[in-house]
Amino acid sequence: MAAEPLANILVVDDSEAICRALRDLLTMSGYAVRTAPSGERALQILETASMDLVITDLKMSGISGIQLLKKIKEKTPALPVVILTGFGDLDSVVEAMRSGVADYLKKPFSVNEVIQVTERELKRSKQLQAAAAVPTAWAAPATTAPQPKRIFIFSAREADGIDKVLSALRAETTAESVLLIEETGHVISAKGISNERDMPSLAALVVASRSTTAQMASLLGEGESFALNYLEGQRVSVYSAAISQRLLLVVVVPKSVRQGAVWVYAKKAAAEIEKIVASAIQQPPAEERPPEKRPVEERPPEKQPPDVRPVEGRAPEKPAEHEESVQQLDSLFSAETIAAGAQLAQEVQTLTFEEAMARGLLGNMQM
């Protein structure tokens, strides 16, 4: 019995070689793949078949990739679309990102890039579908590893807006990866070539780097931490920008990309994200959260002493269990008993030892 496919994917390209290469690659990865040589044929397939992801070329004869994208979004807005593009299509890529493209793949693409983008966008699509049922509960994917505490909770609409901003930023800067991270290390969204398993480690390192620069800013007399950080390597450069003090925007670009261009687009993206974040639900820091109310344990009622207050017009009643003891005490300390005891004491003082023994006043004492 054949295994259930991980997802259904439609590949659209007027190049038969690209369709065949993507079909073989995705099929070996466990996906069910159909191909279409044009946008018109793709729309026919989507009329009768349910797809989880569409990968389409940007420039095709007949219906273009952007036109196909817009028609797909009109009928199935939640269906993620990834576009294939060449190096000279930057303006078209940015337009596609603004129109709702999930991500893009550059030609020639690598095997790892195709698999990573496909896995991430399918996972993100499932998250958004789940969030649509509970708008305020868009959360990070569940994993076996412990997740950092969340600061922001985004609705499905807000999360989709953030993804569009990051996708556009990646296209404008030709970045390898673009991430939005909370100061706790939680990855809100990621676009581009990024291994899902490496995301927590990368996020933790970025947060630690920001902490170090904050200490440096304090030593130099800065009121706040540096708003922008830049790291230059041999192959890539990493830019990070603080947003609303609790978010970090990270851009990983090839070293050849001009620094000024990255800053311009990163600042624009940060401003757009800040507007979205302003309407999100923000969780207070752990030290500011009110303590949890614990239920008070019910204790059995304490036994109250019997009510012995006097009732007007009569003497107070004595408890029945104490009546006998009271009568015994009364008999011991009555006037007659006290007088008899005094007389006996006087007699004992005048008796000799032998007389007291004879009368039995000294008990069975033996010498």
Side-chain angles (χ1 to χ4, degrees):
M1 183 176 179
E4 189 76 15
L6 299 175
N8 297 308
I9 300 175
L10 176 62
V11 176
V12 187
D13 201 304
D14 53 8
S15 169
E16 184 179 352
I18 291 179
C19 281
R20 187 186 308 113
L22 287 174
R23 181 192 61 200
D24 294 345
L25 173 59
L26 294 170
T27 300
M28 286 189 297
S29 299
Y31 299 100
V33 183
R34 294 188 64 175
T35 61
S38 65
E40 290 85 353
R41 177 57 182 154
L43 291 175
Q44 292 176 354
I45 293 175
L46 291 173
E47 288 289 339
T48 58
S50 176
M51 294 293 165
D52 301 303
L53 177 70
V54 174
I55 301 176
T56 179
D57 190 16
L58 185 61
K59 291 186 176 181
M60 298 182 293
S61 57
I63 296 179
S64 68
I66 291 182
Q67 291 173 326
L68 175 60
L69 165 70
K70 292 179 179 179
K71 290 183 178 294
I72 290 175
K73 291 300 179 181
E74 287 176 1
K75 293 187 176 181
T76 52
L79 179 60
V81 178
V82 174
I83 60 172
L84 300 168
T85 179
F87 287 100
D89 301 329
L90 179 59
D91 293 339
S92 298
V93 171
V94 174
E95 179 187 353
M97 295 299 173
R98 298 291 182 183
S99 300
V101 165
D103 210 336
Y104 70 93
L105 297 168
K106 292 180 181 179
K107 296 178 182 178
F109 44 78
S110 67
V111 172
N112 288 338
E113 183 179 3
V114 172
I115 298 302
Q116 288 175 13
V117 170
T118 299
E119 289 179 350
R120 186 181 61 248
E121 294 309 323
L122 285 171
K123 182 178 292 187
R124 170 183 168 273
S125 177
K126 291 180 180 179
Q127 291 171 356
L128 291 177
Q129 291 175 15
V134 186
T136 58
W138 191 78
T143 64
T144 55
Q147 294 293 306
K149 293 182 179 180
R150 297 290 304 272
I151 297 177
F152 295 94
I153 299 178
F154 296 100
S155 67
R157 181 177 180 181
E158 292 163 348
D160 189 54
I162 289 174
D163 284 325
K164 288 181 179 179
V165 173
L166 296 185
S167 295
L169 176 60
R170 186 192 172 214
E172 291 165 339
T173 59
T174 64
E176 288 191 1
S177 301
V178 178
L179 303 90
L180 184 63
I181 303 173
E182 292 182 350
E183 65 177 13
T184 60
H186 171 76
V187 180
I188 294 175
S189 182
K191 293 294 176 183
I193 310 170
S194 54
N195 193 320
E196 194 77 20
R197 292 171 297 181
D198 295 337
M199 284 296 98
S201 298
L202 177 59
L205 291 172
V206 172
V207 172
S209 174
R210 293 291 302 186
S211 176
T212 301
T213 55
Q215 296 176 16
M216 184 186 302
S218 176
L219 290 174
L220 295 175
E222 290 287 329
E224 297 179 354
S225 179
F226 299 111
L228 302 173
N229 286 339
Y230 170 67
L231 298 172
E232 181 178 329
Q234 296 180 352
R235 190 184 68 83
V236 297
S237 298
V238 181
Y239 300 76
S240 62
I243 304 176
S244 300
Q245 303 299 320
R246 309 197 75 182
L247 293 174
L248 296 174
L249 177 63
V250 182
V251 186
V252 182
V253 301
K255 187 179 177 180
S256 58
V257 178
R258 290 183 303 170
Q259 190 178 43
V262 177
W263 285 136
V264 169
Y265 291 121
K267 286 183 178 180
K268 184 181 71 171
E272 294 177 358
I273 292 174
E274 194 165 8
K275 293 179 181 179
I276 298 174
V277 171
S279 60
I281 299 176
Q282 185 171 352
Q283 304 294 323
E287 62 271 13
E288 298 179 7
R289 295 175 188 170
E292 297 181 359
K293 293 183 178 180
R294 297 182 179 180
V296 180
E297 297 182 359
E298 294 186 1
R299 297 180 179 178
E302 296 181 357
K303 294 183 178 181
Q304 299 294 332
D307 189 1
V308 294
R309 290 176 296 176
V311 180
E312 187 176 354
R314 65 178 183 180
E317 297 181 356
K318 297 179 181 178
E321 60 267 22
H322 299 300
E323 186 66 32
E324 184 178 351
S325 298
V326 172
Q327 291 177 355
Q328 292 175 357
L329 290 174
D330 288 344
S331 63
L332 289 175
F333 295 99
S334 63
E336 293 81 0
T337 305
I338 294 173
Q343 183 178 357
L344 179 59
Q346 291 178 359
E347 292 179 357
V348 170
Q349 293 177 358
T350 61
L351 293 175
T352 64
F353 179 79
E354 291 77 4
E355 291 175 339
M357 285 288 292
R359 292 190 181 187
L361 297 177
L362 299 181
N364 296 325
M365 293 183 62
Q366 297 180 358
M367 297 299 292

